[in-house]
């Protein structure tokens, strides 16, 4: 389990954003990417920067 950051999406925020993300295609492999974790990473870098 990873450390939680103050920039992570709350469950309420995720419920608002999740329907706006693209749905997985019925063709091909199932996705392995967790979009919530991708967004958490983007928000962390946006707020704190990267050294």
């Amino acid at each position: 389990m990873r450390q939680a950051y103050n920039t992570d999406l709350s469950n309420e925020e995720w419920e608002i954003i999740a329907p706006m993300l693209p749905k997985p295609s019925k063709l091909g492999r199932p996705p392995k990417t967790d979009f919530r974790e991708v967004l958490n990473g983007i928000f962390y870098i946006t707020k704190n920067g990267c050294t």
Side-chain angles (χ1 to χ4, degrees):
M1 178 137 237
R2 73 167 184 78
Q3 175 185 355
Y5 295 99
N6 61 351
T7 55
D8 286 353
L9 290 168
S10 67
N11 289 334
E12 293 80 20
E13 293 167 331
W14 178 245
E15 288 176 9
I16 295 168
I17 294 173
M20 298 178 204
L21 298 174
K23 303 293 180 220
S25 173
K26 295 181 183 191
L27 303 173
R29 288 184 273 176
K32 294 182 181 179
T33 306
D34 182 359
F35 285 124
R36 185 173 185 168
E37 288 301 316
V38 171
L39 288 174
N40 285 338
I42 291 169
F43 295 144
Y44 178 83
I45 295 293
T46 302
K47 180 173 186 211
N48 298 312
C50 184
T51 58

